[in-house]
Amino acid sequence: MYIVKLCMCEKNFIKFFFLTVKFDRMIIIVTGDKMKKIIFIILIIFIVIIGVNFIYKKDGNQKYMINLIGMNIEEIRKYSINNNLELEIVEEYSDYIEKGKIIKQSILENTIIKQGDKLEVYVSLGKIGKEVYQEYNVNELGRVPIMMYHGIHDVLETDYIGGNVDKDGYQRTVNAFRQDLEFYYNSGYRMISLSDYIDGKIDVPLGKSPIILTFDDGLKNNILVTGLDENGEIIIDPNSAVGILESFKEKYPDYNVTATFFLNGGLFGQPQYNEKIIKWLINNGYSIGNHSYSHANFSNITKEQTINEIGRMYQMLENIIPEKYVKIVALPFGSPYSQTSDNFSYILNGVYNNLIYETVSTLRVGWESEVSPFNKNFNKNFLKRIRAYDNNGKDFDIEMNFKILENNRYISDGNINTIVIPEEELNNIIEKNDYQVITY
């Protein structure tokens, strides 16, 4: 209980101030002629006390999530019942947490919880044994699909096979692209970035396989902006490639949706939005790479023109997103078609306007999947891609490639720090690597 009395009276033209503050049974009386500052300070202290008391009482009714790591399932069930939480249990192998104990929780410790909240906990299945590797056919020397897309067009019907918009199948319909993504997911593939693949950082769950998406040419329909919202952020057409990819992020949170977009000098063909688009992509888990400044054919230009094409594009990206783009070149037309080409070395290294560039990897137009980055035949300088198109299961279309991959695809052990392979594959692994190699 708090009582405050502020009184003022006049006697013989002299002002007296009285402040009485009652804290339960304690009474403090302050008097004097020049007490305004003291009164003001005391009032502030009083207000703070009231505010703290209000917050304390309010928070006293709140419930906070506790740390569940290391608890067992029965303890978690009791906790969820007592706190009216919707419990979902996911099992996962762990080298560090004892079988039956909690590895991680979806609601972080000290987060306010309320009735009906969904709590997802991951329970350890213990260490993975060889019988598990055999059950899932784990093979981290298997092949990895790098998918090559160009345009995604919002049309329902075409004059060509399947979802192809053009004769050669470089352009795809919106519906076909959605079906592609569903197919990859349901076939047990999970996306990783191109850079992570090149660096050997393949982080996908046990029994799943990595897949990489790339887009060439920076077409408008890759990420069509329809305007800006009230906060100045871009509004993305839901039927553009990125709009569709974002919808899959929501639909399948475990899909790890990402892609790399390889640009020419025109960027995404939307001058008023280009820089906003590129920065948005980087901030939302996508990557930007180099497709040469003017989509050059490196088979028939000079050394100087090659340096200009690659260096000028790197310079443009450096000006917009310094050091945040990937130093990877998607070769226009797949040119040059050989690493022995006179121009190939200038795609990898050069100096343009005092900018020294070093390309980490190049991508071909290609036709089939690539080897594991742990395979002794892995050549990051000249990687093959699968053209994402339909051709009745022939000429290395999607259907044909994924049928081949059924027997030789990369299948993960779920641990980014180990390489697990069948014993007969041991001679195919790269000699020097920083990972623990496990055979079965």
Side-chain angles (χ1 to χ4, degrees):
M1 175 180 176
Y2 306 97
I3 299 174
V4 177
K5 292 182 181 179
L6 179 61
C7 305
M8 181 181 75
C9 63
E10 292 188 6
K11 186 176 181 180
N12 297 325
F13 303 100
I14 299 175
K15 294 181 180 179
F16 295 88
F17 294 88
F18 302 90
L19 175 65
T20 301
V21 183
K22 182 177 181 184
F23 294 88
D24 292 332
R25 295 184 180 181
M26 181 175 67
I27 299 177
I28 300 172
I29 301 176
V30 184
T31 65
D33 188 21
K34 298 180 180 180
M35 300 295 292
K36 287 185 178 181
K37 289 184 179 180
I38 296 174
I39 292 168
F40 178 75
I41 291 170
I42 293 174
L43 281 173
I44 293 297
I45 293 171
F46 173 74
I47 291 168
V48 169
I49 291 171
I50 292 292
V52 169
N53 184 66
F54 174 76
I55 293 170
Y56 173 78
K57 288 181 178 179
K58 182 178 179 183
D59 282 358
N61 296 322
Q62 299 285 9
K63 292 184 178 181
Y64 294 86
M65 174 57 62
I66 64 172
N67 183 6
L68 306 175
I69 309 305
M71 290 186 178
N72 62 44
I73 296 176
E74 286 308 312
E75 290 173 320
I76 299 303
R77 286 200 175 102
K78 288 179 183 178
Y79 179 81
S80 62
I81 291 171
N82 291 338
N83 291 279
N84 296 308
L85 299 174
E86 180 187 340
L87 179 64
E88 183 174 332
I89 297 173
V90 180
E91 295 181 323
E92 187 175 280
Y93 288 95
S94 172
D95 290 339
Y96 311 104
I97 305 295
E98 180 185 344
K99 184 176 181 180
K101 302 291 186 179
I102 305 305
I103 301 171
K104 55 187 175 181
Q105 60 197 77
S106 62
I107 305 176
L108 299 180
E109 183 181 6
N110 294 325
T111 301
I112 294 173
I113 55 175
K114 55 184 181 296
Q115 183 174 341
D117 280 353
K118 181 178 178 181
L119 171 62
E120 188 176 69
V121 295
Y122 288 75
V123 180
S124 174
L125 290 170
K127 291 186 177 182
I128 301 179
K130 291 188 176 182
E131 68 281 358
V132 177
Y133 299 141
Q134 291 170 342
E135 178 186 351
Y136 286 95
N137 295 315
V138 172
N139 182 6
E140 297 189 310
L141 282 184
R143 299 183 71 91
V144 178
I146 306 174
M147 307 307 298
M148 180 183 68
Y149 287 92
H150 286 72
I152 304 298
H153 298 261
D154 192 7
V155 295
L156 295 177
E157 297 182 4
T158 75
D159 296 328
Y160 303 100
I161 297 171
N164 302 337
V165 175
D166 61 326
K167 179 181 178 182
D168 294 321
Y170 288 101
Q171 312 296 322
R172 203 111 173 97
T173 69
V174 162
N175 286 340
F177 184 51
R178 286 198 176 100
Q179 289 169 7
D180 293 347
L181 297 180
E182 289 282 0
F183 169 72
Y184 303 148
Y185 183 85
N186 293 327
S187 298
Y189 288 89
R190 298 295 180 266
M191 296 187 205
I192 64 170
S193 73
L194 179 59
S195 292
D196 282 349
Y197 163 70
I198 291 168
D199 293 339
K201 298 176 181 177
I202 300 185
D203 189 8
V204 296
L206 170 67
K208 304 301 181 185
S209 301
I211 188 170
I212 299 154
L213 300 191
T214 65
F215 289 81
D216 291 1
D217 296 349
L219 300 176
K220 282 185 181 180
N221 56 36
N222 285 176
I223 178 169
L224 180 63
V225 174
T226 59
L228 301 178
D229 64 17
E230 58 186 11
N231 298 316
E233 298 294 328
I234 59 174
I235 300 172
I236 301 169
D237 184 344
N239 287 323
S240 66
V242 172
I244 295 168
L245 288 168
E246 287 295 294
S247 71
F248 272 78
K249 274 187 183 179
E250 295 182 9
K251 185 175 183 180
Y252 300 120
D254 64 327
Y255 208 170
N256 302 323
V257 171
T258 185
T260 303
F261 295 85
F262 290 94
L263 307 182
N264 306 122
L267 304 178
F268 285 102
Q270 300 166 79
Q272 70 275 42
Y273 301 127
N274 277 335
E275 290 196 13
K276 281 184 174 289
I277 290 172
I278 291 172
K279 291 175 181 177
W280 185 95
L281 287 169
I282 294 297
N283 292 333
N284 285 273
Y286 298 93
S287 303
I288 300 294
N290 190 330
H291 197 39
S292 83
Y293 187 81
S294 64
H295 205 275
N297 188 328
F298 291 110
S299 296
N300 52 28
I301 61 176
T302 65
K303 160 193 166 182
E304 290 74 21
Q305 288 172 316
T306 298
I307 292 173
N308 184 72
E309 287 287 339
I310 298 300
R312 189 176 179 185
M313 194 64 230
Y314 275 136
Q315 183 70 77
M316 178 175 276
L317 296 179
E318 180 68 22
N319 291 340
I320 300 171
I321 44 170
E323 292 301 315
K324 292 184 178 180
Y325 53 92
V326 295
K327 296 176 181 179
I328 304 171
V329 174
L331 301 169
F333 310 108
S335 67
Y337 309 109
S338 169
Q339 292 176 265
T340 60
S341 166
D342 293 339
N343 285 331
F344 192 77
S345 63
Y346 303 111
I347 295 172
L348 296 181
N349 297 278
V351 181
Y352 172 82
N353 281 356
N354 297 320
L355 172 69
I356 301 172
Y357 65 83
E358 294 182 7
T359 298
V360 172
S361 179
T362 72
L363 301 180
R364 305 158 70 179
V365 168
W367 57 90
E368 63 179 354
S369 59
E370 256 297 350
V371 298
S372 163
F374 311 125
N375 190 298
K376 65 182 181 182
N377 295 318
F378 178 66
N379 177 11
K380 67 179 182 180
N381 286 342
F382 208 46
L383 297 172
K384 290 177 283 190
R385 292 186 285 176
I386 296 173
R387 186 181 359 155
Y389 84 121
D390 296 322
N391 194 25
N392 294 320
K394 299 182 297 184
D395 296 328
F396 294 95
D397 68 350
I398 294 174
E399 180 183 346
M400 179 178 177
N401 266 293
F402 281 83
K403 188 168 289 186
I404 295 170
L405 282 164
E406 288 177 7
N407 298 316
N408 64 7
R409 75 195 214 180
Y410 184 113
I411 300 177
S412 175
D413 72 327
N415 187 340
I416 194 171
N417 298 313
T418 58
I419 304 172
V420 177
I421 57 174
E423 194 167 348
E424 61 269 21
E425 292 278 6
L426 192 56
N427 291 332
N428 295 321
I429 200 165
I430 197 166
E431 290 184 6
K432 293 181 180 180
N433 63 74
D434 299 324
Y435 302 93
Q436 177 187 1
V437 177
I438 300 172
T439 61
Y440 69 97

